[in-house]
Amino acid sequence: MAAGEIAVHGACPHDCYDTCSLRVHVQDGVIRRIEGDPSHPLTRGFLCYKVNHYLERLNHPQRLLHPLRRRGAKGAGEFERVTWDEAMAEIGERVQRVLREHGGEAVLPYSFAGNMGLLAGGALDARLWGRIGASRLERTICTAAGHAALRWVFGTVMGPDPETIPAAAFVLLWGANPMATNVHQIPLLDEARKAGGEVWTIDPLRTETARRYDRHIQPRPATDLALALGLGRELVATGRYDREFAEERAEGFRDYLGLVEPWSITRTAEVTGLEPAAIAELAERIAAARPLLLRPGYGVQRQSDSAATVWAIAALSVISGAWRDVGGGLLMGNGDAFPLRDLAPVQGAARNVNMVQLGDALLDLTKPPVQALFVYNANPAATAPDQSRVLAGLAREDLLTVVHEQMLTDTAKYADFVLPAAMSMEVLDLHTSYWHRYVQLSLPAVPPQGEAVSNPEFFRRLARAIGLTDAELQSDDRSLIEEALTSGHPWLDGITFEALLREPVQKLRLPAETRPFVDLPVPRPGGRLQLAPPPGTMTAQAVAARRGRPGEFDLLTPSTRETIKSSFGNLPSLRRGHPLPELLMAGEDMARLGIAHGTRVRVWNERGEVELTALASDVPQPGSVVSYAVRWNHEDHGRNVNRLTSQALSDYGGGATFYTVRVRIEAAG
Ligand SMILES: Nc1nc2c(c(=O)[nH]1)N[C@H]1C(S)=C(S)[C@@H](COP(=O)(O)OP(=O)(O)OC[C@H]3O[C@@H](n4cnc5c(=O)[nH]c(N)nc54)[C@H](O)[C@@H]3O)O[C@H]1N2
Ligand SMILES: Nc1nc2c(c(=O)[nH]1)N[C@H]1C(S)=C(S)[C@@H](COP(=O)(O)OP(=O)(O)OC[C@H]3O[C@@H](n4cnc5c(=O)[nH]c(N)nc54)[C@H](O)[C@@H]3O)O[C@H]1N2
Ligand code: SF4
Ligand SMILES: [Mo]
C-alpha cells in the first residue's frame, strides 16, 4: 500500500449472485483503488470485468451530485439545479396534496436491486410507504416465478451451500450463464471437474459457459418444461428414482406421475428439438451420478410457463433423492437463508401493483390513479417491459416523478425532481447474498461526493418533508442494522454489529454440510415436499409445442458480461467494442433474409420496434436471435429492446416473461 493509504472493507452492492468483499483503498480522502478482498472464502479476492472498472463509475462525469428540478419536457433531460431544501419542500407539499386528494394508494414506489444493501432497499423506505398506505409494489421483475415455484415445492428459497459445489459429481447448469453472471462460481465448478465431476449446460444459446464445460444441451427456447417432464418420466418409467424421497418425504407424487406420463423421449425430443439419445444420456446421468447438483439460473424462468418449469426441475431433485448428498440438491438461490428481522412488517391493506406492469399501472389504474411515483435502485425506463407504455406513463404531465439516482439515467430524464444518491463505498450498509451465506458490513470509505445522500438519509428527509415525525421513520443507520440482527435465530448467533466491525465478513452459523430438507425440516405445512404442480400451472396450453408463425424469431435478451442490466451502461471503456446495440443472428437466417454482417436491421412486433446492428454469430440457433440486456435508451433514439418485451405475467408468482417474445426482422431501409 502507498504511504498514507488505508483499506476499508466494502461489499459490492450490485444485483449479482456473488456479493463480493471489497477492499477500498483511500488516500488523502479519495478512493484510489478498489480490489477484491481475499479473506472472503468464495469471492477470493478477484472481481469481475465490470467492477474492475469501478473508479470510472464512481467518478463518472455524468454522476449526479446536486438536486435537480425539471425545466423542459418530460424525457428531455433539461433541469435546473436547486437546493435540497427547495426540492424537499416542493416534493413534500405535492405529496401531501396527493395524499389529501387521492389517498395513499395514489403514491407508487418503484425500486429493485440496484443496491442490494439492507438499508438501501428494505428499511426506512418500506416503513414510510407502509405509514402512508402507498400502493405496494410486487417486486417481480427478476425472480418471482422461480421463487414462487421453489416456495411451493420446498417452502423456502434455499439450496446447498455453494461451498459444497466442488463435491458434486454432476452439475447441471440449466438456464444459467455464470461466466457472465456469477463468475465466482466458475472456480468451484472447475474444482468439481478436477475431482472427476462433469458439468453440463442446458441453454438455447451457445454461451461462454456452454463452451467451457463438458456438454451443451441446446433445446429450443422455452421448451425446458417438456425436457424436465421427459427426464422425470424416464426416471420413473425405468424405476431409477428414489422411492422413499418421492413417496414418503413428498406429497403429490401421484399427480406428478400423471403429468409426466405423456412425455416419452420421442415426444420430448420433438418439442425440444433435441436428439432422443441426448435426452436419454442426460436421464442416465441424473439417475446415476452422485452427488447430483441441479443449478437452474434465473434465465429458465423468464417465460410464460416459468413456474411450471421450475417446479418440474425441482421435482427432478426430489424424485432423484439428490438432496441426500452433501454437494447435491438444487441451487437456484439461498436468499431465504438469512433470518434477519423484518424492519418494516406489512401493516394495513393497500393495493398491490405488479412492477412488470408499470406501463399499465401508470396509464390505466383508477381509484385512485397513480399521482406520485418514487423511483430508486432501478431504471424502469430502460429495464421494464413494454417500454412504449412505460414511457407514455412517465410522460404524463399530471404525474409527480421523483428519482433518487447516481446517474442521469433514462428514468431520471423523466423526473420532476432528480436527487443525488451516494455510492455504496460512501455509506454504511449490511449485505446478504442471493447465492452464498455470508453476512457483510460495508463501511463508508469516504463521505458522499457533492450533495449525494444514502437511500436511508433520503427517506428520512422525505418523511420530514411530508410532515411525518414518527421516530421509527428517523432511525439512524447503525440502529437499523442492529435491529435487523436481533431476530434471535441461531444461524445469526454472535453476528452483531460490534462483531461485524471487528470481522466484517461472517458466515451464517449453518455448517456447509447441513443438508437442506434432510438435516433441516421442510418448512411447509405438514413438513413434506410438494410434487404436485403450483395452482393454475400445467394447463394444456403450457405443455403444447409452442411454435412461432413463419417468419418470426424468438428474441432472447439475457445478461452480458459488460453491464448489470442498465447499470454500467454508460462506462465508455465497457462500451468501446459495442458502440451500437447489436442483434446476434445465425448465419443461415441472415443469408435467407439478405442481411449482411454489420448492417442495421429493423426488429419489430406488435408492441414496438428497434434498430440494431446484425452480427453473424453461432451463439443463437437458427430461428432465435439475441440482444443483450440492456442498453440505455437515449444513446439510441430513446428506445431499447424492451420496446419488444411484454407485460404478460408468468403462469404463477406474477413473474416477468422477458424471454417469451417473437419478432420479425428486415434490413433497415
Ligand atoms: N455481468 C452481469 N451479471 C449479472 C447480470 C447482468 O446483467 N450482467 N444480471 C444480474 C441479474 S439482475 C440476474 S437476475 C442474474 C441472472 O443471471 P442468470 O441466472 O445466469 O440468468 P440470465 O442471465 O437471465 O440467463 C441465463 C441463461 O439463460 C438462458 N435462457 C434463456 N431462455 C432460456 C430457456 O428457455 N431455457 C434455458 N434452459 N435457458 C434459457 C440465456 O440464454 C442465458 O444464457 O445475473 C446477475 N448478474
Ligand atoms: N429485456 C430484458 N430486460 C430485463 C431483463 C432481461 O433479462 N431482459 N432482466 C430483468 C431483470 S432480471 C432485472 S433484475 C431488472 C433490473 O432492472 P433495474 O432494477 O432497473 O436495474 P438496473 O438497470 O441495474 O438499474 C439500477 C439503478 O439503480 C441505481 N442505483 C445503484 N445504487 C443505488 C443506490 O444506492 N441508491 C439509488 N437511489 N440508486 C442506486 C443505478 O445507478 C441504476 O441506474 O431488469 C429486467 N429487465
Ligand atoms: S458485480 Fe458481482 S462479481 Fe462483480 S464485483 Fe460485484 S458482486 Fe462481485
Ligand atoms: Mo435480475
Side-chain angles (χ1 to χ4, degrees):
M1 270 199 316
E5 198 175 280
I6 54 157
V8 180
H9 185 267
C12 177
H14 289 283
D15 187 349
C16 173
Y17 288 95
D18 301 27
T19 315
C20 289
S21 284
L22 307 177
R23 253 189 206 164
V24 183
H25 294 265
V26 180
Q27 192 186 28
D28 304 326
V30 177
I31 297 177
R32 305 282 180 191
R33 263 185 313 139
I34 297 176
E35 302 175 330
D37 181 341
S39 73
H40 191 301
L42 279 173
T43 70
R44 301 184 179 184
F46 71 95
L47 301 175
C48 61
Y49 186 68
K50 309 165 293 292
V51 174
N52 278 326
H53 291 263
Y54 215 81
L55 290 189
E56 222 181 294
R57 184 167 195 275
L58 190 66
N59 304 314
H60 198 286
Q62 286 165 5
R63 190 172 161 191
L64 297 166
L65 299 175
H66 306 285
L68 302 172
R69 178 168 56 201
R70 178 166 69 92
R71 265 188 20 203
K74 291 206 172 189
E78 287 160 31
F79 295 98
E80 62 190 353
R81 187 171 156 183
V82 291
T83 65
W84 266 101
D85 285 346
E86 285 169 313
M88 294 319 284
E90 214 174 302
I91 293 167
E93 195 216 312
R94 283 190 65 178
V95 172
Q96 281 173 334
R97 197 181 335 137
V98 168
L99 295 177
R100 252 190 341 264
E101 291 174 5
H102 300 274
E105 288 178 336
V107 177
L108 177 65
Y110 186 102
S111 70
F112 201 61
N115 177 336
M116 298 205 303
L118 172 81
L119 302 188
L124 294 178
D125 53 334
R127 284 185 183 172
L128 177 59
W129 306 133
R131 173 72 169 74
I132 65 174
S135 287
R136 283 194 195 119
L137 189 74
E138 293 179 306
R139 305 175 90 232
T140 47
I141 201 150
C142 176
T143 59
H147 285 184
L150 295 181
R151 292 194 180 105
W152 172 258
V153 175
F154 302 110
T156 181
V157 177
M158 191 171 152
D161 190 322
E163 281 170 44
T164 65
I165 291 174
F170 187 65
V171 183
L172 191 53
L173 300 171
W174 198 327
N177 182 16
M179 284 290 282
T181 60
N182 183 196
V183 293
H184 295 84
Q185 193 183 356
I186 297 297
L188 305 171
L189 296 170
D190 290 354
E191 280 169 44
R193 273 175 97 218
K194 238 183 250 149
E198 276 188 26
V199 178
W200 290 24
T201 306
I202 303 180
D203 200 308
L205 303 181
R206 188 131 181 87
T207 60
E208 316 86 297
T209 307
R211 285 171 216 271
R212 184 180 180 91
Y213 291 117
D214 301 292
R215 278 285 289 278
H216 178 202
I217 303 284
Q218 192 170 15
R220 292 196 185 104
T223 59
D224 305 78
L225 174 56
L227 179 57
L229 295 171
L231 291 165
R233 179 184 190 272
E234 184 65 10
L235 295 190
V236 176
T238 56
R240 289 175 302 171
Y241 69 102
D242 188 323
R243 194 172 297 273
E244 199 242 341
F245 234 88
E247 293 177 10
E248 285 163 37
R249 299 206 198 190
E251 54 189 88
F253 187 52
R254 295 278 133 223
D255 304 87
Y256 180 75
L257 286 182
L259 291 167
V260 299
E261 174 46 37
W263 291 92
S264 64
I265 290 204
T266 315
R267 181 172 174 207
T268 305
E270 246 168 56
V271 171
T272 57
L274 296 170
E275 289 298 326
I279 301 170
E281 219 185 314
L282 178 54
E284 173 57 34
R285 288 292 196 292
I286 293 176
R290 295 290 180 278
L292 161 69
L293 178 64
L294 302 177
R295 173 66 184 90
Y298 292 109
V300 83
Q301 52 92 65
R302 307 200 199 286
Q303 285 81 12
S304 44
D305 48 18
S306 294
T309 303
V310 173
W311 157 76
I313 296 172
L316 287 176
S317 79
V318 175
I319 66 162
S320 64
W323 296 94
R324 287 190 195 276
D325 304 303
V326 173
L330 177 143
L331 176 56
M332 185 173 232
N334 256 312
D336 286 354
F338 295 90
L340 298 180
R341 168 177 289 206
D342 184 354
L343 295 178
V346 174
Q347 287 161 357
R351 75 174 166 202
N352 288 338
V353 173
N354 189 316
M355 72 191 297
V356 170
Q357 298 175 324
L358 177 65
D360 286 354
L362 294 178
L363 293 174
D364 298 342
L365 274 185
T366 55
K367 299 181 183 167
V370 177
Q371 293 293 335
L373 174 72
F374 284 82
V375 182
Y376 52 104
N377 295 345
N379 181 16
T383 56
D386 202 354
Q387 184 171 91
S388 304
R389 301 268 298 163
V390 173
L391 297 187
L394 290 173
R396 270 177 45 199
E397 267 307 320
D398 62 327
L399 176 72
L400 168 69
T401 299
V402 178
V403 176
H404 183 232
E405 248 299 348
Q406 297 163 337
M407 303 288 171
L408 195 61
T409 58
D410 293 321
T411 309
K413 289 201 168 182
Y414 281 85
D416 296 282
F417 289 91
V418 183
L419 300 164
M423 293 272 179
S424 69
M425 296 89 197
E426 300 165 345
V427 303
L428 178 71
D429 214 330
L430 185 80
H431 290 260
T432 58
S433 161
Y434 53 85
W435 178 59
H436 61 61
R437 295 187 183 160
Y438 288 84
V439 179
Q440 296 186 64
L441 199 60
S442 189
L443 295 159
V446 293
Q449 283 185 28
E451 294 179 88
V453 302
S454 70
N455 291 15
E457 176 57 19
F458 170 59
F459 286 100
R460 285 187 282 264
R461 292 182 186 193
L462 182 59
R464 293 197 299 269
I466 302 174
L468 299 172
T469 51
D470 322 33
E472 61 152 33
L473 300 179
Q474 297 298 323
S475 307
D476 66 87
D477 294 353
R478 179 175 172 149
S479 350
L480 287 165
I481 293 175
E482 282 171 343
E483 190 180 334
L485 292 170
T486 58
S487 67
H489 196 286
W491 298 352
L492 285 175
D493 192 28
I495 305 183
T496 61
F497 189 84
E498 287 296 331
L500 284 162
L501 275 180
R502 286 192 301 274
E503 194 61 65
V505 187
Q506 303 243 359
K507 190 160 187 201
L508 290 180
R509 311 312 194 218
L510 175 63
E513 311 76 57
T514 305
R515 297 163 302 171
F517 321 123
V518 176
D519 302 319
L520 296 172
V522 176
R524 286 189 73 252
R528 293 165 85 201
L529 302 163
Q530 176 59 279
L531 281 171
T537 66
M538 289 298 293
T539 56
Q541 189 206 353
V543 290
R546 289 186 289 120
R547 296 269 166 78
R549 289 184 288 267
E552 287 183 340
F553 291 82
D554 286 307
L555 170 70
L556 297 179
T557 56
S559 311
T560 173
R561 180 174 86 121
E562 285 90 2
T563 68
I564 294 194
K565 302 296 144 21
S566 74
S567 296
F568 299 88
N570 61 340
L571 262 56
S573 69
L574 303 185
R575 274 245 313 282
R576 209 163 284 143
H578 313 272
L580 285 172
E582 295 160 353
L583 186 73
L584 310 187
M585 293 184 77
E588 62 177 86
D589 286 334
M590 292 175 76
R592 198 162 40 79
L593 297 181
I595 292 166
H597 179 79
T599 60
R600 299 287 279 171
V601 289
R602 190 169 85 87
V603 184
W604 81 97
N605 63 17
E606 66 278 18
R607 286 175 293 274
E609 71 172 79
V610 287
E611 254 191 46
L612 303 166
T613 303
L615 298 180
S617 161
D618 65 352
V619 170
Q621 52 190 300
S624 299
V625 291
V626 178
S627 189
Y628 292 109
V630 298
R631 301 289 293 240
W632 287 38
N633 301 338
H634 57 258
E635 42 176 61
D636 193 29
H637 308 98
R639 53 188 60 214
N640 72 12
V641 286
N642 278 322
R643 291 277 171 168
L644 306 168
T645 54
S646 138
Q647 296 183 69
L649 302 180
S650 63
D651 50 351
Y652 176 75
T657 55
F658 283 109
Y659 304 166
T660 302
V661 178
R662 296 240 160 73
V663 296
R664 291 173 183 275
I665 302 169
E666 65 180 16

